[in-house]
Amino acid sequence: MSTTPQQNADELAWPAPEKRRSIGKDTRRIDGPAKVTGMARYSHDVRLPGMVYARFVTCALPAAAIELDLTAALAVPGVVEVVRVVGDSTLYLGQPIAAVTAETPEAAAEGARAVAVTLTELPWAVTAEQSLAPDAPKVNPRGNIGRERTQEEGDIEAGFAASDAIVEATYTIPIQHHSCLETHGMVVDYRGGDSAVIHGSVQGTFALLDGPPDSLGLDASMVEGDVQHMGGGFGSKFGIGIEGKIACEIAKRLGRPVHLMMDRETEFHASGNRSGNSVTIKAGASKDGVIQALVADSNKLGGLSGGSYAGLPYVYSVANFSSTSRSVYTNTDGNRAFRAPGHPQASFGMESLIDELAYAIGKDLVEMRLANLPDDEQHSVWRRQLRRVADEIGWNEHPYKSAPGPHKVEGGREYVEGIGFGISVWGGGGYPSCEVEARVDREGSLIVSVGVQDLGTGSRTLVAMVAADEFGLEVHQVTARIGNTRFGNGVMSGGSVTTASLAPAVKDASNKMRAALIALVATNTGKDASALSFADGGVIVGDGLRVSWRDACALCPAGGLTTHGVFQKALQSSGVHGAQAARVRIDLVTGEVKVLKMVAIHDMGIALNPMAVRSQIQGAMVQAVSYALFEERLIDADLGIALNPNFESYRLANVHSIPEMTVIIDDEDGRGVIGIGEPPAIPGIGAIAGAIQNACGVRVRDMPLSPTKILIGLEELRRS
Amino acid sequence: MKDFEYIQPETVEAATAALATKENADWATAKARVFGGGQDLLGEMKTGLEEPSALVNVKWIQGLGGVTQADGGNLKFGATTKLRALEGLFSSGAFQVLSEAAKTIGSPQIRTQATLAGNLCQRPRCLYYRRPEAKCLKKGGDECFAYGGYNKFNAILGGGPSYIVHPSDMGPALMALDAQIEISDSKGTTEMALDDFFTLPSDGDVTRENVLRPDQVVISLRTGLDTPSEWRSTYLKFQERDGFDFALSAVALSLRVQNGAITDARIVLGGVAPRPWRCREAEQLLLGSMEAASLAKRGAAAADAALLGAEPLEHNAYKVPLTKGLLQRALRQLTA
């Protein structure tokens, strides 16, 4: 890594660790106080003069012909209009069929209930079994099975012949909801005329210009999109969705501002999900722990969409394998990206299989993994990371390394502890997209503007930190303006690309501004610019000179100075590894799983804000606990109705469920900045599942890993 | 939510008078509802399961809340006593089961609003019952969808033709103390054993869980132990998620200990049957010495006896070992 003093705009590099002033230091979110005091305004919070509230009526069956009688709804006091938003029939459970617009949210809700819907049930399938049945209705006109892909390497028969133990098992993962705190939707501020402002809960500010101008019949340049704060997306908010389109159409018709945010029940079934998965694996290993052969066959369950699956063998290197996957369509809403699309599903199956093979040959779970992790130089980091989390979680002192712990209540012992592991891989690099403007005025304001949204990960703070670092200013001395289409182009927050796309462009703009200010001072003082630099506090020093930030800025022309920054490839990198370990305690009486501790290590190049990095990783671990132990969409397979579209019966982890968490930031490789949003969400479920089996011998192969299933597993072990 | 009349009487007489309409004599036609903490009723109104035309708020009736002494060391709890008030009252002794049960309910916010009588009278949490589009037995339909459907949370004891489980935690706890329930209507006041208050789908109105009529108001709950000072009790509840959840299974256990021996016992199960489920035969098996090995053996026998009649459905067989385990753990903790 270069340690060249940053004098000129063309020598762009992150400063060496000892020269970092703002970056690399734990920095609280600059919008934290606004968020905790309620001052931060989310799309849901926007209230405008003359605003109307819209809400969907949804289909209670997976497929039905729809007849609507709007008379009663239109008669509800306060209801302004009711429109049909579907054709003759529906394709998925929970599909919006009408939109009711009213003067108040309450009238909209009452109006929605008053819409008389006559559903004539059409044939449907909501489970893979139903969709694959010989007489199944056609969910997709081209067939209920999507394109099948197979990857193959080596000689499978020879691999099995070389195996000392063979495991065959099916691992299933249910459909999971994103459960964003803020539901999908937008507020369209259109009051007639030729311009509009759109406040949207989206994970790409400029998505608000993709569709709405057409729906509103306006020139795109006259539409402003605004995402100041948004309450979570996790991959489900890339576009404006049907809710955005309908909101714009209502605003156009009425010439009034429209508030259309989905209610929670609609959100559950009409705003995407993490696809479910079922994979049947047969694999064999030799006594030394090497997996000799693996054959996997997987169904992706993404509703009307294809589902995502990273494929097997995940992370580990297997010489002889065949991995097949296909989409199975059902009459439920299509899956969307969800924090590491396809990876948690693949990781769960792979890590579970490795545990089962390890026990089958009596191998230490860590040694088993080391025997199968790729050993080339590029990937050796995994070995180091796995050993590190094993040390940290207490593997060395753990009694059950190559065989699970006890399953019987005896000698007063009612609880038993186990440990499990998971490994992850991700990209996380950036690409040219962000256009950043830095501006300094005579009064000393430094304003850095870029249209990018803050998904909740701390991007706003990052913008201020990177700029502050350049000048030795305090983070709070920089004004970060983001989340608006009036600013330069941003980047969609997806694929963990935001930080690696954004930070280099902010650095570029700041670096150019630094050079411009130094040139200004040099010109005014007759000094040589190459001798000047910024010391702490924004003071320009060198050649016997000492000019304060304010004095330097005062030299600016009346309009201040403006610089523009773009992506700088050299400032970022790609490729995130990671390992996590979980320690659980099983209650042998109730089957309860208490995740006591999780340890995570991930590499992400330079950690610009370590606090934000830890926060991301901790959040991902909590999400893994929730997914592993609780979350599951339930649809009655006979009636086709949703059973748990609410947070009472769609259980999320709560404060009692959250373990002690240790986050180790692996920044030893000196690479440029890499995103860390998705990778930490991958290995946790496999680690928890493994820890459960390690503790008590029960391998639950279908998530969630409920106490009810563990209890049945314990009973079976006790009987056998 | 439909518009409704809001009535706020200051006396029991005024409340029962407001409820004493002709249509309110029967649940099928009843239009007025007693409104206490509202923690269940308001949710039912929001989802359209209940559409009352009048709510009679009983929270401001003088003397309807609070704890007073009753005969022989027993206690009387007003119907509108808040669960939050109960949870810190007893840390040992005969009434500990009440505080332990109260503590497991909902969240602190819910317990601050929720009343004791409301907890006893709340409606089932069955996933099918709670979905307006599923017109199940409980809602006047002709099928219990849980029976052949997703029945992980449903009954293993006393089920049929409906397989709901009773969601109350205070019901089993109070029954373990031989509680009596006092009920008023416009004609006067009656008292009955809480055991007789709850009904099974097979022996009562399948759309209800107790004998309360819509023109009646619960007044109080009174424990009925013989010599409470000789009793000890505990409540163990297991929920899928630790906190803010309902019981997969729960055990209320109370023991009378005289001269180092168990001379009387109550076992009442929650979360496994359409009503709090008393296990009389199992109770008898617990009687005897406090010697650990003997107790463990009797505890196992009692657990087997308590679940003898269990008929698990497709997805809830786990409730059998779970309940047996909880009962034995409760016994261990109460005799340690």
Side-chain angles (χ1 to χ4, degrees):
Chain A
M1 178 119 294
S2 167
T3 53
T4 311
Q6 291 172 46
Q7 295 297 331
N8 300 309
D10 55 350
E11 292 173 12
L12 207 52
W14 297 112
E18 69 277 8
K19 296 205 169 150
R20 293 171 192 163
R21 301 189 272 210
S22 308
I23 59 170
K25 308 231 164 30
D26 281 352
T27 305
R28 293 200 176 97
R29 283 160 203 254
I30 54 179
D31 46 10
K35 288 189 170 185
V36 298
T37 57
M39 293 298 288
R41 193 175 68 161
Y42 291 75
S43 297
H44 219 299
D45 300 327
V46 175
R47 296 292 182 274
L48 298 164
M51 189 166 85
V52 288
Y53 297 82
R55 146 178 212 126
F56 285 133
V57 177
T58 61
C59 185
L61 287 174
I66 309 291
E67 279 179 66
L68 297 178
D69 181 349
L70 309 180
T71 319
L74 286 165
V76 171
V79 168
V80 177
E81 66 154 38
V82 186
V83 292
R84 185 183 181 113
V85 299
V86 72
D88 294 337
S89 59
T90 54
L91 278 175
Y92 67 90
L93 176 62
Q95 184 172 353
I97 52 182
V100 178
T101 306
E103 300 288 349
T104 65
E106 291 79 13
E110 202 53 47
R113 278 172 60 177
V115 173
V117 184
T118 307
L119 299 178
T120 306
E121 191 166 357
L122 298 172
W124 48 258
V126 294
T127 66
E129 293 70 33
Q130 289 171 342
S131 181
L132 295 172
D135 57 345
K138 274 210 164 148
V139 175
N140 184 316
R142 289 193 301 271
N144 289 0
I145 299 177
R147 190 157 71 95
E148 193 169 281
R149 291 160 199 256
T150 300
Q151 268 193 297
E152 284 179 309
E153 270 181 35
D155 182 340
I156 289 163
E157 273 185 43
F160 279 120
S163 299
D164 296 306
I166 291 174
V167 165
E168 282 187 81
T170 298
Y171 303 95
T172 60
I173 291 196
I175 287 173
Q176 184 191 22
H177 294 285
H178 295 77
S179 304
C180 307
L181 201 55
E182 183 182 42
T183 57
H184 287 60
M186 57 168 62
V187 172
V188 182
D189 186 1
Y190 176 70
R191 312 176 197 190
D194 57 6
S195 69
V197 181
I198 298 175
H199 307 271
S201 189
V202 290
Q203 46 194 103
T205 310
F206 293 86
L208 298 178
L209 298 187
D210 191 3
D214 288 344
S215 298
L216 290 163
L218 298 176
D219 193 291
S221 66
M222 298 302 282
V223 177
E224 177 184 340
D226 192 61
V227 192
Q228 285 311 300
H229 299 281
M230 60 95 64
F234 308 105
S236 68
K237 291 180 178 172
F238 286 122
I240 61 164
I242 184 178
E243 62 279 9
K245 180 170 181 286
I246 299 294
C248 290
E249 289 171 4
I250 296 169
K252 180 66 179 173
R253 275 196 301 275
L254 299 179
R256 295 174 67 176
V258 173
H259 184 285
L260 197 174
M261 306 296 296
M262 285 187 178
D263 62 284
R264 183 58 67 183
E265 190 170 317
T266 302
E267 173 88 2
F268 265 103
H269 283 270
S271 69
N273 56 72
R274 177 182 266 161
S275 56
N277 194 278
S278 169
V279 60
T280 298
I281 310 177
K282 179 181 176 188
S286 46
K287 281 255 183 267
D288 57 1
V290 175
I291 301 174
Q292 299 290 348
L294 182 152
V295 179
D297 185 276
S298 128
N299 288 335
K300 298 182 281 184
L301 303 170
L304 292 174
S305 299
S308 45
Y309 192 58
L312 294 183
Y314 183 71
V315 172
Y316 297 91
S317 84
V318 176
N320 310 302
F321 75 89
S322 164
S323 175
T324 300
S325 70
R326 67 187 71 74
S327 306
V328 178
Y329 299 111
T330 60
N331 294 101
T332 58
D333 65 333
N335 72 290
R336 298 184 189 176
F338 192 163
R339 213 167 179 184
H343 283 240
Q345 294 96 324
S347 172
F348 171 62
M350 192 68 204
E351 300 292 352
S352 299
L353 175 82
I354 288 193
D355 289 337
E356 299 209 52
L357 278 172
Y359 293 132
I361 58 171
K363 185 100 178 156
D364 177 306
L365 298 186
V366 171
E367 295 301 322
M368 181 79 187
R369 284 172 169 78
L370 292 172
N372 292 286
L373 281 168
D375 57 4
D376 55 296
E377 195 180 344
Q378 189 197 346
H379 294 111
S380 62
V381 58
W382 272 319
R383 299 160 166 276
R384 177 166 60 80
Q385 291 178 336
L386 176 61
R387 289 194 178 100
R388 183 72 198 278
V389 297
D391 285 348
E392 196 71 30
I393 201 77
W395 184 249
N396 294 334
E397 305 78 39
H398 188 62
Y400 318 123
K401 288 198 178 66
S402 53
H407 53 265
K408 284 193 178 125
V409 178
E410 57 191 6
R413 184 203 55 231
E414 298 177 24
Y415 300 89
V416 61
E417 290 184 16
I419 291 173
F421 301 94
I423 309 280
S424 62
V425 63
W426 194 254
Y431 58 87
S433 184
C434 292
E435 304 269 344
V436 178
E437 180 192 277
R439 189 179 180 93
V440 166
D441 66 17
R442 284 179 170 178
E443 282 70 47
S445 300
L446 170 57
I447 300 168
V448 183
S449 310
V450 54
V452 72
Q453 64 294 332
D454 188 334
L455 189 66
T457 56
S459 300
R460 190 188 311 267
T461 308
L462 184 81
V463 167
M465 285 175 73
V466 171
D469 190 77
E470 196 74 26
F471 305 98
L473 293 170
E474 299 291 327
V475 173
H476 67 80
Q477 290 177 281
V478 182
T479 300
R481 288 188 179 156
I482 65 165
N484 193 287
T485 57
R486 296 289 188 228
F487 305 136
N489 195 43
V491 63
M492 287 270 193
S493 287
S496 306
V497 302
T498 314
T499 299
S501 300
L502 173 64
V506 176
K507 172 82 173 162
D508 185 37
S510 307
N511 186 54
K512 285 171 178 160
M513 177 58 74
R514 187 178 53 75
L517 278 169
I518 282 177
L520 193 62
V521 169
T523 304
N524 272 273
T525 57
K527 301 284 185 183
D528 181 0
S530 67
L532 303 181
S533 65
F534 275 92
D536 286 353
V539 180
I540 295 177
V541 296
D543 204 5
L545 193 70
R546 187 177 172 83
V547 181
S548 74
W549 170 259
R550 290 295 292 256
D551 289 346
C553 292
L555 300 173
C556 287
L561 290 179
T562 302
T563 59
H564 294 272
V566 295
F567 181 66
Q568 299 294 324
K569 194 166 191 289
L571 292 177
Q572 57 83 57
S573 188
S574 181
V576 177
H577 308 79
Q580 294 185 9
R583 176 186 284 273
V584 306
R585 188 193 67 194
I586 305 294
D587 183 337
L588 293 172
V589 171
T590 63
E592 181 186 31
V593 180
K594 175 79 184 158
V595 183
L596 299 174
K597 182 173 180 170
M598 288 181 80
V599 179
I601 184 167
H602 295 273
D603 48 314
M604 72 302 293
I606 175 174
L608 292 174
N609 184 353
M611 181 182 274
V613 168
R614 287 198 304 276
S615 172
Q616 278 282 38
I617 297 173
Q618 287 169 345
M621 286 195 275
V622 173
Q623 214 163 25
V625 170
S626 192
Y627 190 17
L629 301 185
F630 304 116
E631 297 186 47
E632 176 178 27
R633 162 195 282 192
L634 299 174
I635 297 172
D636 184 280
D638 295 327
L639 303 175
I641 62 169
L643 291 180
N644 64 344
N646 55 66
F647 285 136
E648 173 190 339
S649 41
Y650 184 87
R651 289 170 177 77
L652 293 175
N654 65 14
V655 67
H656 298 291
S657 327
I658 297 175
E660 175 192 344
M661 291 181 280
T662 300
V663 174
I664 304 164
I665 294 175
D666 183 350
D667 56 1
E668 289 177 23
D669 56 41
R671 290 184 294 166
V673 60
I674 312 171
I676 192 64
E678 322 216 24
I682 299 167
I685 55 171
I688 292 168
I692 292 169
Q693 182 179 21
N694 180 248
C696 65
V698 175
R699 167 57 64 174
V700 181
R701 298 188 182 89
D702 57 326
M703 287 196 359
L705 313 168
S706 310
T708 57
K709 295 173 189 167
I710 292 161
L711 207 48
I712 291 296
L714 287 168
E715 285 290 292
E716 282 167 4
L717 284 178
R718 286 165 194 164
R719 273 199 298 269
S720 66
Chain B
M1 197 186 288
K2 281 198 170 166
D3 289 349
F4 55 86
E5 188 187 355
Y6 189 65
I7 302 166
Q8 189 150 301
E10 292 178 5
T11 63
V12 171
E13 292 69 28
T16 51
L19 291 166
T21 60
K22 203 168 131 194
E23 54 197 11
N24 244 44
D26 191 322
W27 284 109
T29 54
K31 291 287 196 310
R33 290 281 185 280
V34 174
F35 176 64
Q39 294 306 289
D40 185 21
L41 182 59
L42 293 180
E44 292 218 301
M45 289 167 67
K46 280 186 177 176
T47 50
L49 292 176
E50 284 276 7
E51 295 191 323
S53 56
L55 291 187
V56 180
N57 179 12
V58 295
K59 281 196 298 296
W60 306 117
I61 296 176
Q62 285 289 320
L64 209 56
V67 188
T68 50
Q69 293 289 331
D71 294 346
N74 279 290
L75 294 174
K76 186 173 169 179
F77 300 89
T80 60
T81 304
K82 299 288 172 62
L83 299 179
R84 189 79 173 143
L86 290 175
E87 63 182 271
L89 274 186
F90 311 105
S91 57
S92 64
F95 307 116
Q96 185 181 329
V97 67
L98 296 174
S99 291
E100 288 183 345
K103 257 183 259 184
T104 68
I105 296 167
S107 64
Q109 292 90 335
I110 285 174
R111 297 197 293 275
T112 300
Q113 289 293 323
T115 65
L116 180 58
N119 185 269
L120 300 176
C121 297
Q122 64 182 311
R123 305 307 313 277
R125 304 311 303 186
C126 176
L127 297 179
Y128 294 91
Y129 170 76
R130 292 282 160 176
R131 297 303 304 159
E133 63 267 39
K135 192 163 170 39
C136 70
L137 261 185
K138 273 277 159 197
K139 291 179 285 195
D142 38 50
E143 191 180 342
C144 174
F145 298 118
Y147 178 69
Y150 187 80
N151 45 41
K152 172 176 169 177
F153 302 106
N154 293 80
I156 55 169
L157 288 162
S162 158
Y163 287 83
I164 62 124
V165 294
H166 202 283
S168 175
D169 292 297
M170 299 315 297
L174 282 162
M175 272 178 54
L177 303 177
D178 282 353
Q180 299 279 310
I181 185 167
E182 185 188 9
I183 295 167
S184 281
D185 57 32
S186 60
K187 298 190 183 73
T189 296
T190 55
E191 196 177 48
M192 68 174 80
L194 189 57
D195 197 9
D196 296 329
F197 174 76
F198 294 110
T199 55
L200 281 177
S202 55
D203 65 18
D205 177 352
V206 74
T207 69
R208 308 303 305 174
E209 293 78 54
N210 55 55
V211 299
L212 195 72
R213 291 197 318 265
D215 61 351
Q216 293 179 315
V217 178
V218 177
I219 302 299
S220 72
L221 281 303
R222 183 172 58 82
T223 65
L225 294 177
D226 182 6
T227 323
S229 60
E230 293 175 347
W231 288 75
R232 59 181 78 174
S233 68
T234 191
Y235 190 74
L236 284 190
K237 169 181 176 178
F238 184 64
Q239 46 205 341
E240 176 133 29
R241 177 182 59 190
D242 182 14
F244 221 146
D245 209 347
F246 290 87
L248 294 177
S249 175
V251 174
L253 175 67
S254 59
L255 301 176
R256 186 177 193 180
V257 179
Q258 293 170 296
N259 303 319
I262 298 172
T263 59
D264 205 352
R266 298 287 178 274
I267 301 169
V268 189
L269 307 179
V272 293
R275 51 161 293 160
W277 189 260
R278 175 120 181 239
C279 308
R280 286 190 166 80
E281 285 170 33
E283 289 167 3
Q284 293 307 308
L285 297 175
L286 292 183
L287 309 189
S289 89
M290 299 275 279
E291 189 267 315
S294 161
L295 252 183
K297 205 175 277 179
R298 275 152 40 220
D304 287 342
L307 277 298
L308 193 60
E311 292 179 359
L313 304 171
E314 189 181 352
H315 304 114
N316 64 8
Y318 71 91
K319 287 195 178 194
V320 175
L322 174 61
T323 310
K324 286 184 183 181
L326 284 178
L327 174 53
Q328 291 172 83
R329 175 175 283 175
L331 185 66
R332 281 195 294 275
Q333 291 182 0
L334 208 47
T335 54

